[in-house]
């Protein structure tokens, strides 16, 4: 034992304890306690515990508490088992010790054990406190144990700690993770004087569940309450601006950030870059980046993503080189951004070079997103056979998303036969996604293969697969307006629809021809197809912008799907006729229309 303890730095002549420790033994006890937090392994902890047994200190609550604290500080399955075992040896354990072990379980790979252990502790008569429920709700959130979380919520209410400062944010988070947003809001509304942490929790709830407008309303309420937002609040609010594409609100938040000193925070600056880029203002994103004293990997990656989504592929690639010169280490996200930029600009050779340098220079193992970018790169360039072979030879099992990327390329390049092969591979993995049926059905319809179209549509109905409707939004006077494709087909009285009808007439005089080949219904004539095309969500949103913004101002539109080819063509004509810049963000990238041209060069 002496030789083992010497490893821990104990003096060679360490005094022994008798059954009745003397005052001269107190100094070594304090020394022993000071060593426990310094242990780097469970083995060393057990050596000290062995010494306590030898010196009759094995039941000393101070020693046991120290050992349990050390076991849970860097939890492993073995150390948590040992802490649990020690806890069970204590005749009258208190709730503080359980809370320590519960926190350890929460940060382990099996957080549900905290809930199981609590059942045992509660049945023994130990009364939980606010810290107990805080840990338990975190455990429920990690494993999405909604029913257990609700039971614990009821217990917290009975005990009277459900509105505790430490409990409420974790309770709100638990309901958020389990997609019970309205329940989370009810918890928040019951707090008499919510703190910033509680506000952050409920704002997070709305942001994660795509309800940004409610999150932004809560931010305004937070300001009015007299509380001071923190860095987390600003990150959440900026993410909400990004979700709704609200550039005006984003600029106001930027001013707030500068006024209240958040501008020194690198993460907040990165969120600003992301917000400006996704709200369509690349110049503002560049300005924020250039004003940073020194950006980290995330900031550089955000700027590369900005260039990529706005169609500046070469600039994104050169930024990677600039990043290397500044000795900022790129990561997985950086290379996803660069590969995406290469994909949207047809930079095949540059893309291959980046893909290989990721592994050869930086030792980064490609993930599914990197493979997806490569498939997209090859597919957009028309190298479909090469893309198919690339997927087939991957060192991992391909996902439906990889095959869907290739299916989209087959559609763009009109390759029906390969489209069918790829769809079969998708259906082997997942046959419930409505978009797959629609893409192949439209591809077949384009070439008059109506038997295949009817078969696919019937199969789609049988599987219960649903097509996501196209939706476009535009912000005017700080209000976001949404439009859905087909909104005007059966309406003749709405001023917007009348204005769109007149707009299409004017576009035709300038040379615009509706591409009715994009409407795949065999039983419709060209006039009926043209009406369907006319009321696509993008055209409705752009028309609304023309009607409700001053001449010469930029129109910014967001769409939830890929921009329609006919709407893309119409937007070019509108930008030329009306002298307007139109920035259209779809699910893949930004399109900047100006003077009858698009930044994508019709390659998207």
């Amino acid at each position: 034992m002496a030789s083992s303890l010497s490893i821990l730095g104990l003096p060679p002549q360490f005094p022994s304890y008798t059954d009745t420790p003397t005052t001269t033994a107190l100094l070594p006890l304090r020394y022993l306690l000071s060593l426990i937090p310094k242990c780097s392994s469970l083995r060393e902890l057990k050596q000290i515990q062995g010494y306590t047994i030898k010196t009759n200190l094995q039941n000393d609550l101070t020693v046991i508490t120290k050992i349990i604290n050390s076991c849970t500080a860097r939890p492993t399955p073995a150390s948590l088992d040992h802490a649990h075992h020690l806890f069970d040896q204590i005749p009258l354990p208190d709730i503080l010790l359980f809370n320590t072990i519960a926190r350890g379980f929460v940060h382990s790979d099996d957080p549900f054990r905290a809930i199981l252990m609590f059942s045992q502790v509660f049945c023994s008569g130990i009364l939980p406190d606010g810290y107990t429920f805080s840990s338990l709700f975190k455990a429920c959130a990690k494993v999405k144990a909604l029913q257990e979380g609700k039971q614990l919520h009821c217990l917290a209410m009975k005990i009277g700690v459900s509105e505790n400062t430490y409990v409420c944010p974790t309770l709100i988070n638990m309901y958020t993770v389990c997609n019970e947003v309205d329940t989370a809001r009810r918890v928040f509304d019951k707090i008499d004087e919510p703190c910033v942490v509680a506000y952050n929790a409920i704002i997070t709830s709305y942001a994660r569940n795509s309800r940004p407008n409610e999150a932004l309303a809560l931010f305004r309420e937070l300001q009015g309450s007299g509380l001071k937002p923190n860095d987390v609040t600003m990150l959440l609010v900026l993410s909400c601006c990004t979700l709704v594409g609200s550039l005006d609100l984003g600029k106001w938040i930027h001013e707030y950030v500068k006024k209240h000193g958040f501008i020194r925070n690198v993460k907040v600056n990165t969120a600003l870059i992301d917000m400006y880029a996704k709200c369509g203002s690349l110049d503002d994103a560049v300005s924020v980046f250039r004003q940073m004293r020194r950006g980290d990997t995330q900031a550089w990656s955000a700027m590369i993503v900005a260039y990529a989504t706005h169609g500046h592929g070469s600039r994104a690639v050169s930024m990677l080189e600039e990043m290397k010169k500044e000795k900022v280490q790129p990561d997985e996200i950086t290379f996803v951004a660069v590969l995406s930029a290469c994909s949207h600009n047809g930079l095949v050779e540059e893309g291959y070079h980046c893909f290989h340098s990721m592994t050869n220079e930086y030792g980064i193992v490609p993930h599914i997103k990197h493979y997806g970018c490569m498939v997209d790169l090859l597919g957009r360039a028309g190298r479909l056979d090469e893309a198919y072979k690339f997927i087939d030879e991957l060192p991992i099992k391909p996902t439906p998303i990889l095959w869907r990327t290739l299916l989209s390329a087959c559609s763009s390049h009109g390759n029906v036969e390969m489209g069918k092969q790829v769809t079969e591979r998708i259906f082997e993995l997942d046959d419930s996604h409505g978009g797959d049926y629609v893409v192949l059905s439209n591809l077949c319809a384009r070439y008059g293969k109506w038997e295949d179209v009817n078969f696919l549509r019937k199969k789609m109905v049988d599987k219960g697969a649903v097509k996501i409707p196209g939706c476009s939004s535009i912000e005017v006077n700080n209000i976001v307006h949404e439009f859905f494709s087909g909104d005007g087909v059966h309406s003749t009285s709405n001023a917007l629809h009348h204005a769109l009808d007149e707009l299409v007439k004017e576009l035709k005089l300038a040379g615009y021809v509706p591409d009715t080949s994009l409407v795949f219904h065999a039983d419709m004539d060209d006039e009926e197809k043209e009406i369907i095309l006319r009321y696509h969500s993008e055209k409705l949103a752009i028309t609304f912008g023309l009607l409700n913004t001053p001449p010469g101002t930029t129109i910014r539109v967001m769409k939830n799907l890929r921009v329609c080819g006919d709407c893309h063509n119409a937007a070019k004509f509108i930008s030329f006729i009306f002298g307007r810049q139109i920035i259209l963000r779809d699910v893949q990238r930004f399109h900047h229309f100006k003077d009858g041209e698009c930044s994508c060069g019709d390659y998207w």
Side-chain angles (χ1 to χ4, degrees):
M1 178 63 71
S3 59
S4 298
L5 288 172
S6 64
I7 298 173
L8 299 176
L10 293 174
Q13 301 300 321
F14 198 95
S16 298
Y17 284 98
T18 61
D19 289 340
T20 307
T22 65
T23 55
T24 57
L26 292 177
L27 180 61
L29 173 59
R30 288 198 295 269
Y31 183 55
L32 184 68
L33 293 174
S34 71
L35 287 175
I36 292 175
K38 299 176 183 177
C39 292
S40 60
S41 67
L42 181 60
R43 178 174 174 269
E44 291 180 355
L45 272 176
K46 287 184 175 181
Q47 288 176 355
I48 290 182
Q49 189 180 348
Y51 186 84
T52 64
I53 294 171
K54 182 179 178 181
T55 53
N56 296 321
L57 280 171
Q58 70 269 30
N59 295 324
D60 188 294
L61 191 57
T62 306
V63 174
I64 294 175
T65 301
K66 279 277 189 180
I67 294 176
I68 289 176
N69 283 336
S70 190
C71 285
T72 57
R74 294 180 296 275
T76 65
S79 69
L80 289 173
D81 284 342
H82 192 62
H84 194 169
H85 173 73
L86 288 175
F87 182 85
D88 288 340
Q89 306 306 309
I90 303 172
L92 295 172
D94 61 17
I95 195 61
L96 297 178
L97 267 182
F98 169 76
N99 291 346
T100 299
I101 298 176
R103 282 194 296 272
F105 281 130
V106 167
H107 294 102
S108 73
D109 293 331
D110 189 12
F112 196 75
R113 284 186 64 184
I115 302 168
L116 296 175
M117 186 177 175
F118 173 72
S119 300
Q120 167 199 339
V121 167
F122 186 65
C123 290
S124 69
I126 300 175
L127 192 66
D129 61 13
Y131 296 103
T132 312
F133 287 103
S134 176
S135 292
L136 293 174
F137 288 135
K138 287 178 183 177
C140 290
K142 288 189 77 172
V143 296
K144 296 186 178 181
L146 179 61
Q147 294 307 314
E148 289 81 359
K150 287 182 175 180
Q151 293 171 25
L152 288 166
H153 185 186
C154 290
L155 181 59
M157 291 174 68
K158 288 179 181 178
I159 293 174
V161 297
S162 60
E163 297 176 22
N164 179 284
T165 304
Y166 296 99
V167 173
C168 281
T170 56
L171 181 55
I172 292 169
N173 179 64
M174 186 272 292
Y175 281 121
T176 298
V177 172
C178 296
N179 297 319
E180 294 272 337
V181 187
D182 294 330
T183 307
R185 181 58 191 262
R186 286 195 292 272
V187 171
F188 177 80
D189 287 340
K190 288 181 180 179
I191 307 173
D192 291 332
E193 295 183 2
C195 61
V196 172
V197 178
Y199 268 104
N200 288 347
I202 191 63
I203 291 172
T204 300
S205 181
Y206 282 128
R208 283 184 181 174
N209 289 275
S210 299
R211 292 165 65 170
N213 290 322
E214 288 154 293
L216 292 169
L218 274 166
F219 174 66
R220 296 187 185 97
E221 182 183 311
L222 168 61
Q223 289 178 285
S225 70
L227 294 170
K228 185 179 179 181
N230 58 22
D231 295 345
V232 175
T233 318
M234 303 318 301
L235 291 171
L236 290 167
V237 171
L238 285 168
S239 73
C240 291
C241 292
T242 303
L243 281 172
V244 298
S246 178
L247 180 62
D248 290 341
L249 182 57
K251 286 186 173 181
W252 179 82
I253 297 294
H254 189 184
E255 291 302 316
Y256 185 93
V257 161
K258 289 190 285 188
K259 182 178 178 181
H260 292 85
F262 295 107
I263 200 67
R264 292 184 292 273
N265 186 296
V266 175
K267 291 186 182 299
V268 171
N269 276 282
T270 303
L272 280 168
I273 293 168
D274 186 57
M275 181 275 295
Y276 276 127
K278 290 179 179 175
C279 288
S281 183
L282 180 62
D283 290 342
D284 284 316
V286 173
S287 176
V288 172
F289 180 77
R290 294 304 176 194
Q291 289 175 22
M292 294 177 69
R293 291 181 180 177
R294 178 173 171 81
D296 60 6
T297 300
Q298 285 71 38
W300 279 83
S301 297
M303 196 62 243
I304 292 174
V305 169
Y307 280 123
T309 54
H310 284 269
H312 297 273
S314 297
R315 187 72 191 93
V317 174
S318 66
M319 270 210 78
L320 179 62
E321 297 303 317
E322 190 179 336
M323 189 177 181
K324 294 177 184 177
K325 291 177 183 176
E326 293 292 326
K327 296 186 172 19
V328 180
Q329 188 80 359
D331 61 9
E332 294 89 345
I333 297 172
T334 313
F335 280 100
V336 168
V338 176
L339 290 172
S340 175
C342 294
S343 170
H344 286 289
N345 289 268
L347 306 175
V348 178
E349 298 311 316
E350 292 88 339
Y352 263 121
H353 173 74
C354 289
F355 182 74
H356 292 305
S357 71
M358 178 175 65
T359 303
N360 298 336
E361 290 185 44
Y362 297 99
I364 298 173
V365 178
H367 294 169
I368 196 69
K369 288 186 177 181
H370 302 111
Y371 294 131
C373 288
M374 288 302 297
V375 173
D376 194 42
L377 174 69
L378 296 170
R380 288 177 190 275
R383 295 159 70 160
L384 302 180
D385 291 331
E386 194 174 339
Y388 194 102
K389 183 180 179 183
F390 182 88
I391 299 175
D392 243 2
E393 295 178 352
L394 286 179
I396 61 172
K397 183 179 179 180
T399 64
I401 293 176
L402 284 181
W403 289 113
R404 285 180 186 127
T405 302
L406 182 53
L407 177 61
S408 177
C410 292
S411 176
S412 297
H413 293 282
N415 193 323
V416 178
E417 293 309 312
M418 181 173 285
K420 288 181 178 180
Q421 292 177 42
V422 171
T423 305
E424 287 178 8
R425 300 296 294 266
I426 295 172
F427 287 166
E428 289 172 5
L429 302 170
D430 176 16
D431 61 359
S432 64
H433 194 274
D436 302 328
Y437 297 92
V438 172
V439 172
L440 183 59
S441 173
N442 290 348
L443 177 58
C444 291
R446 197 184 312 162
Y447 293 93
K449 299 182 179 294
W450 295 109
E451 287 187 9
D452 291 329
V453 172
N454 293 332
F455 171 77
L456 285 165
R457 289 179 178 171
K458 182 178 182 304
K459 189 173 181 180
M460 184 176 176
V461 172
D462 292 342
K463 292 292 182 180
V466 179
K467 178 184 177 182
I468 299 172
C471 175
S472 295
S473 61
I474 181 172
E475 181 187 15
V476 176
N477 296 326
N478 295 321
I479 299 174
V480 177
H481 303 265
E482 289 187 332
F483 302 91
F484 289 86
S485 292
D487 275 354
V489 174
H490 304 295
S491 176
T492 56
S493 59
N494 191 300
L496 175 63
H497 303 143
H498 177 71
L500 179 53
D501 293 339
E502 294 302 313
L503 173 63
V504 170
K505 290 178 184 178
E506 195 166 348
L507 296 182
K508 286 181 177 179
L509 291 175
Y512 163 71
V513 178
D515 188 357
T516 55
S517 68
L518 297 174
V519 182
F520 307 108
H521 292 277
D523 54 347
M524 284 187 179
D525 58 29
D526 282 347
E527 186 176 350
E528 291 174 304
K529 292 179 179 180
E530 186 179 324
I531 290 173
I532 288 179
L533 277 178
R534 184 182 308 166
Y535 296 112
H536 275 191
S537 64
E538 301 99 309
K539 294 189 184 78
L540 288 164
I542 292 172
T543 304
F544 185 86
L546 289 172
L547 291 174
N548 294 280
T549 59
T553 56
T554 300
I555 295 174
R556 303 174 190 275
V557 174
M558 293 173 57
K559 187 180 179 184
N560 65 331
L561 303 174
R562 190 171 185 263
V563 62
C564 156
D566 183 72
C567 290
H568 189 273
N569 189 35
K572 289 196 291 185
F573 275 96
I574 294 170
S575 72
F576 178 75
I577 294 171
F578 293 92
R580 295 285 200 112
Q581 183 177 4
I582 301 170
I583 300 177
L584 175 56
R585 168 187 165 187
D586 70 6
V587 72
Q588 294 183 336
R589 62 172 296 163
F590 277 91
H591 298 267
H592 294 252
F593 301 95
K594 187 177 181 181
D595 299 329
E597 301 292 335
C598 180
S599 59
C600 72
D602 296 335
Y603 186 94
W604 89 93

